[in-house]
Amino acid sequence: MEEAIFSRVFFSSFFFFFFFFSGGMGQLPKSFLDTKASSPAQLLQLLIDIQAAALASVGGGPDFDPKYYVDLPLKFPVQKTAEAFASLPRLQSGKVSPDTLERFLEEYCDIPGSDLVACTPVDYVPEPSGFLPGVQNPVARRWALKVHSLWLLLARQVADHVENEPNQHTLLPLKHPVIVPGERFREVYYWDSYWIIRGLLVSKMLDTAKGMVQNLLTFTRMHGFMANGARTYYENRSQPPLLSRMVCAVYSESADLTLVEQALPVLFKEHNFWTTEPHEVVIQDSQKNKHRLSRYYAHWNSPRPESCTIDKAIAKGLSKRQQAELYHNIATAAESGWDFSSRWMEDHQNLITLRTSAIIPVDLNAFLLQMELDIVFLARVAGDHAAERHYTKAANARRLAINSILWNEEMGQWFDYWLPLNNSEVQSVDMQKVRFIYFPSQGGFNSQRCSSLYNSGLLHPGGIATSVRETGEQWDFPNAWAPLQHMIIEGLATLNSEKANKLAQDISRRWLKSNYVAFEKTGRMVEKYDVRSSGKIGGGGEYETQTGFGWTNGVALALLHDYGW
């Protein structure tokens, strides 16, 4: 099974990159029908052309989702479908009429998500033994059990025909059942999976959690990194690297030494992905000491297929060179998970000023430090003392680098560092390149962090805001996201101080209250909330707020487990 998945994924990736970097993304080429290019590349180009035709046919607006079209499974081989699409009658304007397009989609395509089969996890029970012993309040417990039951609505198994007919799906085959985020996010996503797994473990669903980790290990073993999500069009980038955290979480509940032994060489590969060029950058501090830190860097300079029509509209009017640079920084922001935020914008307001790959982010380097520490722990468990020594050294070097380059003593805070825009191999630190703006991603905690968090302007009735700037983008004020709440709360808990513990409990209370109030109003958990009042749902960005919602459910259950109601 793993070999079959590898051959399909590798084949699609290779030609996918070749096709787009060779100047794809336009209208259906005349040579399309008789080209010998790979079917995965043909499939994606066909779906992007259908996406463009749909936009021209029905117009834009909040109900138009370009991702819908690149998720379409084909009922027939690519060539037959392409021939039918090319022969559709056009209006005098060159557009396909809405009725004609609808009939074509019904005849030649299945509904997005139909290649994922709803399933019941083998380890799901309505009320697990030992579930949330610290939550006895009957109202809170009823709500927690409803959140627990949402795993049933989000459980999926990739259909067998995805592997058998790989060139008719952008979906990648996965061996084990999964929990997806919800709605338009029909497939597995990398960093979402960590908080989903944390929630599954609270729900006593160890087998499902372990299966999700095995899926990610298989992909990373073959590629050296985990893609943004389980679609061919996500293979140009990763997401915040949390696979080692997932392995540790599952190991803590299972003591599965076999899992550790399988995971370690995979984690070595992933660590290498993030600690070599172009992700790694060498920076020289004011004392002429060289430090190695990492950045997000997508291998992409074209519109994202799942948002092709949106990206092209953003880049309209720019030169080809400027467009390629912007597309690269858009995809890089997607790799960061913060798509999109004033954090990555040079003018803090406009998407065309995104400079994501020119920034050394605090959170990425904190994730990598945690990865190194996780590998040290797992290597010790497995008895691999050479790896334990190597990654201990790597962790010590990264901790020194973070404190040397990103820490500001006067403000008691770490800050993202903006790289000078030159081509030198070693960058020299320039404090004018530090943007002293608060974001909850400036993780890492010490005794000063509590005061700086109180003074940051990020703490509100509904939790921790994603930024202090209101730009209309979803990773900015007033939105709040479950993973950021959880990371801050867990970071505060590591301080072992009364003040930090009280702040952690306070944030947990605010966040759970907001989740609960919104659920009572709507019957749903959502991907983001508005911090200005409890129960207010967030918005903004390039798509409507989604419900479901995997990582929100996971964080709610984890906080109820750790802090009660």
Side-chain angles (χ1 to χ4, degrees):
M1 176 68 178
E2 286 189 0
E3 288 77 8
I5 292 174
F6 167 64
S7 62
R8 182 267 167 101
V9 171
F10 178 82
F11 186 69
S12 68
S13 297
F14 180 83
F15 286 101
F16 179 57
F17 279 93
F18 175 80
F19 183 80
F20 280 97
F21 281 112
S22 299
M25 308 295 285
Q27 294 299 311
L28 192 66
K30 292 181 180 179
S31 60
F32 182 92
L33 301 181
D34 59 0
T35 183
K36 295 182 180 180
S38 76
S39 291
Q42 285 184 325
L43 170 64
L44 197 58
Q45 182 60 55
L46 171 61
L47 294 176
I48 288 171
D49 285 324
I50 293 173
Q51 178 192 88
L55 178 64
S57 176
V58 303
D63 294 330
F64 182 81
D65 184 1
K67 185 179 185 299
Y68 178 93
Y69 298 93
V70 292
D71 290 356
L72 288 166
L74 301 189
K75 294 180 179 179
F76 306 103
V78 176
Q79 183 170 332
K80 178 177 180 178
T81 309
E83 289 173 345
F85 179 69
S87 65
L88 290 178
R90 262 64 176 180
L91 302 174
Q92 190 171 6
S93 62
K95 299 177 182 179
V96 178
S97 73
D99 289 343
T100 299
L101 183 62
E102 183 177 354
R103 286 194 297 271
F104 166 79
L105 294 178
E106 288 177 353
E107 184 175 354
Y108 287 91
C109 302
D110 284 318
I111 297 171
S114 59
D115 41 9
L116 286 145
V117 180
C119 63
T120 301
V122 296
D123 47 1
Y124 174 84
V125 296
E127 185 166 2
S129 175
F131 179 71
L132 295 180
V135 180
Q136 296 302 319
N137 177 296
V139 174
R141 192 166 185 83
R142 278 196 299 272
W143 173 58
L145 286 168
K146 288 178 182 178
V147 173
H148 163 74
S149 73
L150 294 176
W151 299 134
L152 288 176
L153 300 179
L154 301 173
R156 299 288 187 274
Q157 175 76 60
V158 176
D160 291 341
H161 61 264
V162 172
E163 185 180 0
N164 299 332
E165 302 165 349
N167 300 327
Q168 293 173 217
H169 307 265
T170 57
L171 186 68
L172 297 175
L174 298 171
K175 180 178 180 180
H176 301 284
V178 299
I179 302 295
V180 300
E183 288 203 280
R184 77 192 291 268
F185 300 115
R186 308 170 182 92
E187 53 285 306
V188 165
Y189 286 80
Y190 182 12
W191 77 320
D192 294 62
S193 295
Y194 171 64
W195 287 281
I196 289 171
I197 286 168
R198 289 292 299 268
L200 289 172
L201 294 176
V202 173
S203 292
K204 311 300 181 182
M205 296 172 64
L206 178 60
D207 290 342
T208 301
K210 188 182 293 187
M212 290 187 66
V213 171
Q214 291 286 6
N215 286 335
L216 301 187
L217 287 173
T218 296
F219 188 99
T220 307
R221 182 181 297 115
M222 302 306 178
H223 287 258
F225 76 103
M226 179 57 207
N228 184 152
R231 293 275 179 184
T232 57
Y233 55 74
Y234 284 142
E235 293 178 302
N236 57 68
R237 60 185 187 259
S238 185
Q239 266 194 332
L242 291 167
L243 182 54
S244 68
R245 288 277 77 200
M246 301 182 215
V247 173
C248 287
V250 170
Y251 176 77
S252 70
E253 296 296 325
S254 66
D256 187 341
L257 183 58
T258 301
L259 174 66
V260 173
E261 292 170 341
Q262 292 173 341
L264 269 175
V266 178
L267 296 176
F268 298 160
K269 284 187 175 184
E270 186 182 35
H271 184 267
N272 184 68
F273 171 79
W274 289 102
T275 56
T276 53
E277 293 183 341
H279 285 98
E280 186 173 79
V281 177
V282 179
I283 304 179
Q284 186 171 265
D285 66 20
S286 57
Q287 306 302 314
K288 307 299 183 183
N289 299 310
K290 293 179 181 178
H291 301 278
R292 297 179 181 275
L293 290 167
S294 298
R295 60 178 170 172
Y296 294 110
Y297 197 100
H299 295 272
W300 197 245
N301 63 1
S302 296
R304 294 166 297 154
E306 76 279 13
S307 301
C308 188
T309 54
I310 295 172
D311 290 358
K312 285 184 175 181
I314 295 169
K316 187 176 182 180
L318 300 178
S319 68
K320 287 188 176 181
R321 182 191 63 78
Q322 290 172 326
Q323 287 181 346
E325 182 179 336
L326 176 58
Y327 294 145
H328 164 71
N329 280 297
I330 287 174
T332 300
E335 181 172 73
S336 79
W338 287 50
D339 42 343
F340 297 100
S341 172
S342 60
R343 181 184 180 195
W344 313 124
M345 301 173 194
E346 197 159 37
D347 71 353
H348 308 299
Q349 189 67 38
N350 297 298
L351 285 171
I352 62 169
T353 70
L354 284 170
R355 300 289 183 268
T356 324
S357 62
I359 298 168
I360 302 296
V362 174
D363 52 353
L364 173 58
N365 286 281
F367 291 141
L368 291 173
L369 174 58
Q370 184 64 66
M371 180 196 291
E372 289 155 356
L373 295 173
D374 287 342
I375 293 175
V376 169
F377 167 74
L378 295 170
R380 187 178 302 129
V381 167
D384 188 340
H385 302 301
E388 182 182 352
R389 289 191 297 271
H390 176 80
Y391 286 94
T392 296
K393 183 178 178 181
N396 290 338
R398 187 172 302 278
R399 186 182 288 108
L400 177 61
I402 289 171
N403 287 329
S404 298
I405 305 300
L406 306 179
W407 173 254
N408 182 276
E409 184 67 30
E410 181 181 350
M411 301 183 73
Q413 181 64 66
W414 289 265
F415 291 95
D416 296 337
Y417 179 74
W418 287 59
L419 293 167
L421 297 178
N422 60 49
N423 296 319
S424 62
E425 182 178 346
V426 179
Q427 307 284 356
S428 295
V429 69
D430 178 357
M431 293 313 294
Q432 292 183 350
K433 295 295 182 180
V434 179
R435 306 290 177 92
F436 298 112
I437 302 171
Y438 286 106
F439 294 99
S441 56
Q442 293 154 337
F445 292 90
N446 69 8
S447 58
Q448 297 182 60
R449 178 59 166 145
C450 293
S451 297
S452 62
L453 188 56
Y454 274 120
N455 298 330
S456 67
L458 295 172
L459 188 58
H460 292 269
I464 299 290
T466 310
S467 81
V468 295
R469 293 180 179 273
E470 188 167 4
T471 63
E473 299 300 334
Q474 62 175 356
W475 287 83
D476 272 318
F477 185 85
N479 286 337
W481 295 78
L484 300 184
Q485 316 300 311
H486 195 238
M487 286 188 286
I488 288 174
I489 290 167
E490 290 209 321
L492 290 166
T494 65
L495 295 181
N496 293 320
S497 79
E498 184 178 354
K499 184 177 181 181
N501 286 335
K502 284 184 177 180
L503 180 55
Q505 291 168 5
D506 180 34
I507 297 169
S508 177
R509 177 183 57 79
R510 295 179 195 222
W511 183 250
L512 288 172
K513 180 181 178 183
S514 190
N515 286 190
Y516 172 77
V517 171
F519 189 88
E520 288 297 293
K521 289 178 182 176
T522 67
R524 297 180 177 185
M525 299 288 281
V526 300
E527 61 172 346
K528 54 185 178 280
Y529 295 82
D530 186 322
V531 293
R532 291 175 292 193
S533 62
S534 289
K536 190 172 183 180
I537 293 173
E542 63 182 23
Y543 59 83
E544 296 297 309
T545 298
Q546 303 295 292
T547 66
F549 192 84
W551 67 12
T552 309
N553 307 345
V555 169
L557 293 174
L559 292 178
L560 286 168
H561 179 270
D562 293 341
Y563 290 94
W565 177 243

